Structure formats: structure tokens, C-alpha cells
């Protein structure tokens, strides 16, 4: 609701009813309803995607990046479903907004989200308000403790998407250790989004090669970001 609308509401004169109880006019009631609707939408939006915490080195993807990565995720799942009778398990490591995006797309299409898993340090995502009332697979993950992983995911993930929070060799090395324990040993695929300066380390620890696609963020960063994979991507190069 705009400040002008609030001002109009504050200055609105009340109408007298037959029982002498002051009542707001129809215009004022409509303005008040608009205010509460906007407030509810803001609260709902905040519960879907918490604000960035720069102390945790959080920088959310922009919409175009989410769309591009989500398209590749779904293409990988379709391809791997054709090659395997078992469910394709996808792990999102330290990229919560992409997880929310893919999950929302699937739910809007009335598709299952039970095979999507979020491994994330920020516990705000564990208490996300799920209006769809469907499974929300949150697992707290700290790259400083890379061995602490959900037992039911070890060696079971056909696709892992990771975005380590810090541009350091320690962070990438630890995240890589976790990825190697999560991913299927033979056919598992990896999408890594991180700083372009990590190219040599991505090859060293994950045998991942740089692609042309460049992830973007809602708030611009000075560091150049890049995307690395261990396979030939389906929807972008």
C-alpha cells in the first residue's frame, strides 16, 4: 500500500451509523483491506526467501540465473530417469534460493518434490512456511564439517548443484569432499557455481570444466562468477 493511500486512510472521516457507532466508509474499508493484503504478501514473501546475510556470505541468484539452472536441472532429471528405473535424487548444496525455485516450479506443475534435498547452513530455511504442505527436505550443512551428511543421501545423488559460500581453497576443498560422498560414483553429475578464480581448483578437486553460462545475482558482486560441470550440459554451454 502506498504512503499516499495510508494518508488518505488516516484522514478518512467516519460515517455515522444508525446506532451511533462510527464506521469507516466503503473507500476506507477497501484501502484497509488493501493494506492487510499487501502486508500478508510481504510476510509470505519473506518466509519464502529470507534476506541475504552478508556475514554468511549470502548472495542470492537473480531470476534469470534461477530459470537457467532450473531448466538444466529438469533436463538432467528427465535424461537420467530414462536411463535408470530408480528415482533421481538431487542435492542442492549451499544454494537455497535455487532449491526453492525448482521446488516451486514442480509444485506448480503438481510434480513430486520428495527427491529434492537442500543442504544448507542457514537454519532459517528449515522453518520455511510451506503453504503447499508437502515435504521440505532440509539438512543442516557446514562446509567446516564436510563429513556430516545425511546417511540416506550418501552415494545416492544423481545430480548435485553446489555454490560454496566463500571463495577460498579450504571452502571449495571441503565442499568437494562432501560432493564426492553424496554423488553417485559412476553416473553422478555436478553443477558448481563459484568465482571464476576457482577454475583450477574446480578441475583439481572435482574434475569440473568451465561453461559459457555465467551465474548472476540479485545484488551485483565485484567478483566474476562462473559455472563448472563434470559433464556436457544439456541446455547451455
Amino acid at each position: 500500500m502506498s504512503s499516499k493511500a495510508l494518508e488518505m486512510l488516516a484522514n478518512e472521516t467516519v460515517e455515522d451509523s444508525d446506532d451511533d457507532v462510527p464506521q469507516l466508509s466503503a473507500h476506507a474499508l477497501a484501502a484497509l483491506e488493501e493494506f492487510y493484503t499487501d502486508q500478508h504478501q510481504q510476510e509470505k514473501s519473506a518466509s519464502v526467501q529470507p534476506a541475504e546475510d552478508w556475514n554468511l556470505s549470502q548472495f542470492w541468484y537473480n531470476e534469470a540465473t534461477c530459470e537457467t539452472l532450473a531448466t538444466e536441472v529438469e533436463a538432467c532429471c528427465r535424461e537420467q530417469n530414462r536411463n535408470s528405473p530408480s528415482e533421481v535424487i538431487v542435492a542442492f548444496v549451499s544454494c537455497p534460493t535455487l532449491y526453492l525455485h525448482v521446488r516451486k516450479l514442480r509444485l506448480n506443475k503438481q510434480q513430486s518434490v520428495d527427491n529434492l534435498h537442500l543442504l544448507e547452513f542457514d537454519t532459517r530455511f528449515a522453518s520455511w512456511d510451506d503453504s503447499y504442505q508437502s515435504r521440505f527436505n532440509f539438512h543442516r550443512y557446514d562446509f567446516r564439517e564436510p563429513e556430516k551428511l545425511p546417511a540416506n543421501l550418501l552415494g545416492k545423488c544423481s545430480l548435485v548443484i553446489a555454490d560454496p559460500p566463500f571463495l577460498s581453497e579450504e571452502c571449495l576443498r571441503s565442499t568437494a569432499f562432501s560432493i564426492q560422498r553424496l554423488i553417485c560414483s559412476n553416473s553422478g553429475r555436478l553443477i558448481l557455481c563459484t568465482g571464476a578464480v576457482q577454475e583450477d581448483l574446480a578441475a583439481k578437486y572435482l574434475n569440473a570444466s568451465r561453461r559459457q553460462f555465467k551465474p548472476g545475482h540479485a545484488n551485483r558482486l565485484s567478483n566474476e562468477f562462473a559455472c563448472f560441470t563434470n559433464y556436457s550440459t544439456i541446455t547451455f554451454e
Side-chain angles (χ1 to χ4, degrees):
M1 190 179 191
S2 67
S3 58
K4 183 178 180 180
L6 281 173
E7 182 180 355
M8 290 175 62
L9 178 58
N11 294 331
E12 184 72 32
T13 57
V14 298
E15 297 177 346
D16 292 333
S17 64
D18 293 339
D19 54 5
D20 294 329
V21 177
Q23 295 181 351
L24 289 173
S25 68
H27 174 76
L29 286 172
L32 189 61
E33 182 178 357
E34 179 189 350
F35 170 76
Y36 284 124
T37 298
D38 288 349
Q39 187 179 53
H40 175 72
Q41 290 298 326
Q42 290 173 6
E43 291 171 353
K44 184 177 180 181
S45 176
S47 68
V48 171
Q49 183 169 298
E52 295 172 340
D53 184 343
W54 291 355
N55 290 323
L56 297 179
S57 190
Q58 290 179 337
F59 301 94
W60 303 150
Y61 296 139
N62 58 30
E63 188 70 14
T65 295
C66 284
E67 289 288 348
T68 300
L69 291 174
T71 299
E72 179 66 18
V73 168
E74 296 302 86
C76 282
C77 288
R78 286 193 298 270
E79 183 177 283
Q80 292 179 316
N81 271 324
R82 287 194 294 266
N83 300 328
S84 173
S86 59
E87 185 177 42
V88 174
I89 297 176
V90 184
F92 297 78
V93 180
S94 304
C95 47
T97 54
L98 179 59
Y99 170 80
L100 293 180
H101 189 87
V102 174
R103 191 173 185 280
K104 181 179 179 181
L105 289 177
R106 287 198 178 184
L107 290 171
N108 287 340
K109 296 177 181 178
Q110 298 184 333
Q111 297 175 342
S112 173
V113 295
D114 291 349
N115 65 323
L116 306 179
H117 294 263
L118 173 62
L119 285 75
E120 167 61 34
F121 181 81
D122 189 347
T123 55
R124 290 181 298 171
F125 289 92
S127 58
W128 179 66
D129 179 20
D130 185 5
S131 58
Y132 290 95
Q133 297 300 311
S134 55
R135 181 180 297 179
F136 192 76
N137 295 320
F138 176 90
H139 312 276
R140 191 173 188 276
Y141 171 74
D142 187 345
F143 77 88
R144 297 176 184 85
E145 299 176 306
E147 73 287 349
K148 292 187 177 181
L149 299 166
N152 63 317
L153 297 184
L154 296 178
K156 300 292 181 61
C157 299
S158 299
L159 176 62
V160 176
I161 307 99
D163 189 338
F166 299 100
L167 298 181
S168 68
E169 181 170 0
E170 176 196 3
C171 184
L172 183 56
R173 182 176 62 245
S174 295
T175 302
F177 176 85
S178 300
I179 291 170
Q180 290 163 351
R181 296 195 66 198
L182 291 168
I183 204 166
C184 296
S185 58
N186 297 324
S187 58
R189 293 180 173 181
L190 162 71
I191 300 174
L192 174 70
C193 296
T194 187
V197 296
Q198 302 281 67
E199 183 169 359
D200 290 343
L201 296 177
K204 176 181 177 180
Y205 292 117
L206 292 164
N207 194 30
S209 301
R210 185 171 178 175
R211 302 301 170 191
Q212 291 184 3
F213 169 66
K214 294 183 179 181
H217 299 80
N219 293 308
R220 291 188 177 183
L221 302 180
S222 58
N223 299 311
E224 180 185 3
F225 267 65
C227 180
F228 306 88
T229 71
N230 67 344
Y231 69 100
S232 295
T233 54
I234 301 170
T235 63
F236 65 82
E237 278 298 332

